[in-house]
Amino acid sequence: MDRRMMQQLQQMQTRLMKAQEELSTTEVEGTAGGGAVKVVMNGHRELRGLTIAPEAVDPDDVETLQEMIIAAFNDASKKAQDLSESKLGGLTGGLNVPGLF
């Protein structure tokens, strides 16, 4: 490998590391039930918070609450995936690099 190629690889590695760091600190929010359930996760799809409005808690209808939590989680997960792809996709030339997405 020539020196120029090594420099390009090092620059790419630096950009990837910076993007990975941004993903760990950037948060996305998913909601369901008109905002009754809110899920917050980072760009790596790690759960950071869960908020449930008191009016969403009905002891006689736990199933609806469970469905709202799943929907909010999936909403946040999709947003985190989109964020990850936007931050890393251009850096990898569109390749799906294992461990990055």
Side-chain angles (χ1 to χ4, degrees):
M1 228 183 274
D2 66 13
R3 179 182 159 107
R4 184 171 176 239
M5 185 178 270
M6 283 297 288
Q7 286 176 331
Q8 288 175 336
L9 286 172
Q10 287 174 337
Q11 289 171 352
M12 180 186 217
Q13 182 181 16
T14 300
R15 290 192 304 264
L16 283 170
M17 289 174 58
K18 183 179 179 190
Q20 289 281 359
E21 185 178 321
E22 286 178 31
L23 288 173
S24 69
T25 59
T26 302
E27 292 186 340
V28 295
E29 181 180 297
T31 61
V37 175
K38 178 174 75 170
V39 169
V40 177
M41 62 177 53
N42 67 13
H44 291 296
R45 290 186 253 178
E46 297 169 333
L47 186 62
R48 295 295 187 202
L50 170 66
T51 305
I52 302 172
E55 61 271 11
V57 181
D58 179 354
D60 297 324
D61 187 13
V62 174
E63 187 175 308
T64 297
L65 177 57
Q66 292 169 334
E67 289 171 0
M68 285 191 293
I69 292 169
I70 292 168
F73 182 87
N74 289 337
D75 184 36
S77 183
K78 173 70 172 113
K79 290 176 182 175
Q81 180 178 354
D82 292 345
L83 176 67
S84 178
E85 288 173 1
S86 73
K87 294 276 186 199
L88 300 175
L91 296 175
T92 62
L95 297 175
N96 188 0
V97 179
L100 292 180
F101 302 111

